[in-house]
Amino acid sequence: MTHDIASILLLIGASFALFSTVIVLIAAALRVIINRKVKSNAAEEEAIRSKLILAALNPSKVTLNFGWAKNSLTLARVLGQVAELVDDRLKENMINAAAICGVEHGILKLAKSRNESDRLISASLLSSFPTLSRYLLNMARTDKSIIVRCNAILSLNSVGRALPAKYWSKWVNLGAANPHIAIISLLKVESLTSKAALVNALFHKNASPILKGWVFQILAKDYGEQIYDISYKILSDANSSTHIVKVVLENIADARLPMELHQKFVSAENWDIRAAYCDCILRLYAFELLDSLFPLSKDKDWRVRNKAINAIKVLSGIGEHKYPKDVVARLYENATHPDFSAATFTEEEKSQHDYVLYGKAS
Amino acid sequence: MNTTELFKTSIEMIGIFVIVIGLFIAMFNLVQLMVSAWNFVTAQPTSDARTNWNNFAKFAPSVTILVPAFNEGSTICTSVGALLSIEYPNFEVIVINDGSDDETLSVLKNEFGLVTCRIPEIGQLKCQNIVGAYKSTNFPRLLVLDKKNGGKADALNAGANSAQCEYICVIDADSILARDALLVACRAFINSPEKIVAIGGAIRLANGCHIVKNDILRIGLPKSVLSLFQTIEYMRTFHVARNAMSNVGALTLISGAFGLFSKDLIYEVGGYSHDTVGEDYELCVRIQKHFCEVKSDARMIFCPDAICWTQAPETLSVLGRQRSRWQRGALETLWKHKGMIFNFKYGRPATIALLEAFLCDVLAPLCEFLGYLIIPIAVLFGLLSVDYLIGFLSLSIGFGIAQSAGAIILEEMRFRQFPRIWHILILLFAGIMENFGYRQLCGFWRIIGFVEFLLGKKSWGEMTRQKFSNSV
């Protein structure tokens, strides 16, 4: 009995060792084949590449003898790689030349590839074949990779088809965490359903701040005066992240912005938002909003003070021009010394400021 | 029952205990291999660097790379040079000189033209005093902190306190990050910024690789047998164990040689702990515990495609010190978080990963020790069944070979990093041969680590660094 059990153990151990060794040897043998294939593929790709370029440059002169493209998959892959490097005219010539020898089959094969780069190529090339748009639709709906889905939607858009609203609004929520949703901004937000879906995404509890930021950018372009109501709602929501508030600021802050929204930014709890507000006013060169910066020049946070004072200095022309008397008066009113940077920061704050600005070694 | 019979029964019982634990660990490893294989078969392979850059670079979050350095004068410039040339759009590098006795700081000053600057203090993590901060006149992304010696954890806390970016990437000073590794790893952050809060990368050995201008130009196998055995060991650890644990949501270790964490998370859990030499393991276990306590659905994952190259010790003494330190670190962490082991409240990390750690780090060295002890005694008293011994050894070596072969096959399926066929054959040979001597040696070092833990040893032990071999 003892002997039997020992033999079984021995047998199992030996089988494991032998079986795994054989598998590795098979893998090594397969590697020989793979290495050879890689070499021959590289040569074939090179040949296809040069012929495609020739065909693109001289569409009328080059004889369309595409017998060289035995492998439509390789042709599609090379076409995708080269097409993204050239202008639209050359790209069209290339695609026309490749289409004659059935590159569509290769493109459809690429669409099923496990490799994300291949599927991206496929999504991009399919836009040149409107009759195959159903494959694009499929990619846009079901592909594992969100980038591929985004590119497929872009291509769909370029062939005049759009992802049906029901998929699209679902996708907005599903892809909530992904900033690639930015490509939505390139889509035509035509129907009210789509806009409603966007607004829903903006207030969806699981949507990421980055997504909300992108969605807000789209809405800001297309939503007219209603965007102020949405902004107010966002700013009033205690759960709104700093990111979305900053996006709101960057997209809607201008002279037309209602005063209550200005107040929301100025009295924001997060210093980051108050500092971003100063930057925004400066970026807009909004002289008429100079007054709203004065309270911030006395802010409790030194970084906000820094930004506010910088903005005031630039907008009022300190250091460059002789600034207006009323501005000087207001500056004196808000600080004890005209040289703000010297008077309003402690040594410690200044040292941090030096570091933040980089390169100012003490 | 007389004394002799009692003695015989005790020996038999110990023998059965050793065999059962050994088989259990082997089965555990086999399951891990299957989980990893399934993942490698079904997961989408990573895109090439160009695709990643074109599609993700504009969304890449900012990352502070922390490089703790203690007496790393021979390798630090190569490592920092490589870090500054990585393909990532938004990062800063903070090198923390942890009170080195050698020329670490001076070589950095000479190489990168460092000038004194103010010490940025953003976080509040506990650490030793920073005595100086330096910025590079040529490389604005580089900041060097000089601090009193306080250990790796202390250095990392100091670096985290000065980090200005959203995420923190921790790497060893003797490591070279693959150029696209950070972007590959950060894809998960980009895709799920709220769910994924920590990512571990794969560590590979740079011994034997041809390094030009801080970049791995040609991948090769090390010439030293010891490094070769470690190569296969790293493959088993990262391709099989780490990948499997990540896939079942039970990852409790992100290697200190290359790991990415959300800065907020590091601040939230209080940074690295000073009271263990396995600070990376302890931090990850604490993070998992924190997730369970605050009922967060955030996750730590392992990304096998993000690669960091490191140097393996090439002498027995240095390797021995490293392994016993790892063992000690694991035991210190398990002891500190003993309440988590087998505690269902803490979910999969406690029931799967810590169970495995308990088996491999606590019971396995004990079994090995008992095994080494009872075999001569059993031979002496004529209690040893040679058939059983051969059967058990065959099973254990067979499992070992299967594990190594599995790791090689996974490597071939997913990465094909080793360019030549003979590389695969040599790795297979190493996978077979390591069962005869190397594994036993590792077991011995683990026992030493166990004893050091029991004696309460706290020091790191001397780690000798050498320049990257074949580097230009």
Side-chain angles (χ1 to χ4, degrees), chain A residues 304-354:
Chain A
V304 180
R305 292 206 298 277
N306 178 33
K307 298 269 186 189
I309 289 164
N310 273 345
I312 292 170
K313 281 167 85 175
V314 174
L315 290 176
S316 58
I318 292 175
E320 291 173 16
H321 314 289
K322 200 173 177 186
Y323 35 88
K325 281 182 182 172
D326 62 321
V327 174
V328 178
R330 276 188 286 169
L331 288 176
Y332 272 105
E333 195 183 307
N334 284 280
T336 51
H337 196 278
D339 185 4
F340 278 74
S341 56
T344 42
F345 301 116
T346 64
E347 276 305 308
E348 192 185 345
E349 286 170 351
K350 272 177 74 183
S351 69
Q352 288 191 31
H353 175 229
D354 283 351

Side-chain angles (χ1 to χ4, degrees), chain B residues 307-321:
Chain B
I307 294 168
C308 179
W309 300 87
T310 193
Q311 267 198 109
E314 291 197 333
T315 59
L316 280 175
S317 57
V318 179
L319 180 65
R321 278 199 292 271

Side-chain angles (χ1 to χ4, degrees), chain B residues 339-351:
Chain B
M340 277 180 81
I341 305 172
F342 310 124
N343 191 339
F344 286 94
K345 182 183 146 193
Y346 293 106
R348 291 179 194 180
T351 47

Side-chain angles (χ1 to χ4, degrees), chain B residues 149-199:
Chain B
N149 183 261
K152 189 179 173 186
D154 196 77
L156 289 171
N157 283 349
N161 281 341
S162 300
Q164 305 220 34
C165 302
E166 285 172 79
Y167 290 94
I168 285 173
C169 172
V170 179
I171 81 156
D172 278 349
D174 62 335
S175 304
I176 292 180
L177 210 54
R179 285 197 173 213
D180 63 340
L182 214 49
L183 196 55
V184 169
C186 282
R187 273 191 65 162
F189 285 142
I190 296 168
N191 282 331
S192 314
E194 284 164 357
K195 288 266 170 67
I196 310 290
V197 289
I199 297 169

Side-chain angles (χ1 to χ4, degrees), chain B residues 67-72 95-105 128-132 144-152 154-155 158:
Chain B
V67 190
F70 177 70
N71 291 346
E72 308 273 1
V95 180
I96 310 108
N97 178 37
D98 190 28
S100 299
D101 310 322
D102 70 348
E103 71 286 2
T104 303
L105 188 61
Q128 291 280 352
N129 282 345
I130 296 173
V131 291
V144 176
L145 299 178
D146 186 25
K147 63 180 278 291
K148 287 180 184 170
N149 183 261
K152 189 179 173 186
D154 196 77

Side-chain angles (χ1 to χ4, degrees), chain B residues 126-383:
Chain B
K126 197 178 143 194
C127 67
Q128 291 280 352
N129 282 345
I130 296 173
V131 291
Y134 305 88
K135 283 211 66 70
S136 169
T137 46
N138 307 322
F139 301 92
R141 292 183 192 274
L142 178 64
L143 172 73
V144 176
L145 299 178
D146 186 25
K147 63 180 278 291
K148 287 180 184 170
N149 183 261
K152 189 179 173 186
D154 196 77
L156 289 171
N157 283 349
N161 281 341
S162 300
Q164 305 220 34
C165 302
E166 285 172 79
Y167 290 94
I168 285 173
C169 172
V170 179
I171 81 156
D172 278 349
D174 62 335
S175 304
I176 292 180
L177 210 54
R179 285 197 173 213
D180 63 340
L182 214 49
L183 196 55
V184 169
C186 282
R187 273 191 65 162
F189 285 142
I190 296 168
N191 282 331
S192 314
E194 284 164 357
K195 288 266 170 67
I196 310 290
V197 289
I199 297 169
I203 313 295
R204 285 168 176 267
L205 296 190
N207 305 48
C209 296
H210 189 57
I211 302 164
V212 176
K213 289 184 183 171
N214 311 323
D215 198 12
I216 305 280
L217 192 71
R218 194 176 62 241
I219 294 165
L221 286 178
K223 284 174 187 158
S224 131
V225 178
L226 207 56
S227 306
L228 199 60
F229 287 154
Q230 288 176 78
T231 305
I232 195 87
E233 206 178 7
Y234 273 64
M235 280 166 65
R236 270 202 313 268
T237 306
F238 288 95
H239 293 354
V240 181
R242 217 58 72 80
N243 194 37
M245 285 301 181
S246 174
N247 275 294
V248 297
L251 190 68
T252 50
L253 177 54
I254 286 176
S255 170
F258 179 31
L260 281 140
F261 300 88
S262 148
K263 188 171 80 176
D264 292 342
L265 176 71
I266 295 278
Y267 287 171
E268 208 172 316
V269 297
Y272 284 89
S273 166
H274 289 68
D275 53 8
T276 169
V277 287
E279 73 294 322
D280 46 359
Y281 187 31
E282 198 280 332
L283 177 74
C284 294
V285 173
R286 191 147 37 94
I287 288 173
Q288 289 286 18
K289 191 177 181 181
H290 175 73
F291 289 162
C292 292
E293 283 171 352
V294 299
K295 294 191 169 51
S296 162
D297 61 349
R299 284 182 62 202
M300 295 200 294
I301 59 163
F302 170 69
C303 175
D305 302 304
I307 294 168
C308 179
W309 300 87
T310 193
Q311 267 198 109
E314 291 197 333
T315 59
L316 280 175
S317 57
V318 179
L319 180 65
R321 278 199 292 271
Q322 185 196 52
R323 293 308 158 92
S324 49
R325 193 186 71 239
W326 285 359
Q327 174 68 24
R328 192 151 41 96
L331 290 173
E332 282 167 354
T333 303
L334 287 175
W335 181 251
K336 191 173 175 183
H337 298 285
K338 53 187 178 292
M340 277 180 81
I341 305 172
F342 310 124
N343 191 339
F344 286 94
K345 182 183 146 193
Y346 293 106
R348 291 179 194 180
T351 47
I352 300 175
L354 291 189
L355 169 69
E356 189 223 10
F358 182 74
L359 282 172
C360 297
D361 297 325
V362 181
L363 292 183
L366 212 62
C367 286
E368 279 187 55
F369 176 72
L370 289 174
Y372 294 138
L373 197 73
I374 60 166
I375 287 174
I377 295 173
V379 170
L380 201 68
F381 289 90
L383 294 171

